[in-house]
Amino acid sequence: MRNMPAVLVVEDESAIAELIAVNLRHNGFRPTWAMDSVSAQLEIDAALPDLILLDWMLPGESGLVLAKRWRDNPRTKEIPIIMLTARGDESDRVAGLDAGADDYIAKPFSTKELLARVRAVLRRRVPEQAGESITIGTLVLDPSTHRVSFDAKPLKLGPTEFKLLHYLMGHAERVHSRSQLLDKVWGDHVYIEERTVDVHVKRLREALDAAGTMVETVRGAGYRLTAKPIVPVADKAHA
Ligand code: CA
């Protein structure tokens, strides 16, 4: 379902992972579990989560190494990371935050605190889930009033196009595959064909008018919203 943020839980202790997953599920999140760095990377390669809960002490590569790698990779660098660890002293906390973690929770933690921190980090990092207006160039989308404007000129969008634009603007410059968009914008996409996405992207571009070129097709990969409107070839020829 839409509005159920996907949370990847990277934790080798199954009892803790289970406890976290149950609590996330009961509170409107979609948890997946990876027990080491290798399976965590496989999960990330398959689909980007909205947030990662990352244990520091893992068999093989540590959570710290993983956090650094994900921060250095353009595909994963924007995913919020909360580090989990039994190590609670200040130098460890600083090392975790230096590695790119957004927050830090020392074990043992209360599930209430964990959920509060997950929500807080999501609000900070994913504005599209917090109802704040998003501005990219002169394109502005305001979820609270459901208004979109470009160069201060209001635009009319259908509800699906609005949701699609909201998601793309909340994750600008990233390439989203059709199946990722179905998952994030349409929710349960089992019965929807991927070409539905193409239909709505086409409508979105038409509705965006001059800003339509901000929605780029990335061949073989999907779609991306980019900050710079591209000058159409025809305009260049006249320039
Ligand atoms: Ca551990």
Side-chain angles (χ1 to χ4, degrees):
M1 274 177 68
R2 190 179 136 70
N3 290 332
M4 286 180 71
V7 178
L8 174 62
V9 181
V10 188
E11 166 64 78
D12 57 312
E13 285 154 86
S14 57
I16 296 177
E18 182 70 33
L19 176 74
I20 294 173
V22 164
N23 276 279
L24 286 173
R25 208 170 290 125
H26 286 170
N27 285 277
F29 297 92
R30 282 182 294 127
T32 48
W33 175 36
M35 59 189 306
D36 57 29
S37 60
V38 175
S39 45
Q41 189 61 53
L42 286 174
E43 291 287 342
I44 296 257
D45 292 344
L48 292 177
D50 295 296
L51 183 137
I52 302 166
L53 285 171
L54 179 58
D55 187 28
W56 182 310
M57 300 296 281
L58 293 168
E61 286 175 304
S62 74
L64 203 63
V65 171
L66 279 177
K68 278 187 184 145
R69 184 191 305 149
W70 289 334
R71 277 294 170 264
D72 287 342
N73 184 327
R75 185 170 169 261
T76 47
K77 70 173 190 213
E78 288 172 47
I79 305 172
I81 297 173
I82 300 178
M83 300 268 323
L84 300 174
T85 182
R87 311 167 69 153
D89 66 53
E90 199 189 342
S91 59
D92 287 336
R93 201 162 36 127
V94 170
L97 297 174
D98 276 350
D102 293 84
D103 203 354
Y104 187 101
I105 303 177
K107 292 177 187 172
F109 50 82
S110 77
T111 50
K112 241 181 166 171
E113 183 194 358
L114 178 88
L115 289 164
R117 287 189 186 230
V118 164
R119 290 194 188 100
V121 166
L122 279 176
R123 266 199 304 276
R124 253 194 343 256
R125 292 294 300 263
V126 191
E128 134 256 7
Q129 282 171 351
E132 289 159 23
S133 92
I134 310 173
T135 303
I136 293 173
T138 55
L139 183 63
V140 181
L141 179 143
D142 186 350
S144 57
T145 57
H146 239 257
R147 284 193 173 126
V148 179
S149 67
F150 181 67
D151 276 343
K153 190 183 134 217
L155 300 171
K156 269 192 105 139
L157 268 66
T160 303
E161 286 69 52
F162 184 89
K163 277 201 272 186
L164 180 60
L165 182 64
H166 195 183
Y167 184 76
L168 290 172
M169 287 181 76
H171 304 81
E173 305 299 336
R174 285 165 70 176
V175 180
H176 307 279
S177 70
R178 287 165 180 80
S179 73
Q180 281 170 346
L181 289 172
L182 280 176
D183 203 25
K184 300 292 183 184
V185 178
W186 278 261
D188 184 0
H189 62 263
V190 179
Y191 305 107
I192 304 174
E193 291 177 55
E194 291 198 353
R195 80 192 153 86
T196 304
V197 176
D198 302 333
V199 171
H200 286 278
V201 167
K202 185 168 179 282
R203 282 188 202 156
L204 174 61
R205 282 188 180 129
E206 286 164 5
L208 288 176
D209 201 16
T213 52
M214 290 174 77
V215 182
E216 293 182 340
T217 303
V218 181
R219 269 187 76 183
Y223 294 104
R224 163 174 61 204
L225 189 122
T226 185
K228 305 174 293 283
I230 306 128
V231 181
V233 177
D235 288 3
K236 273 186 189 155
H238 291 288

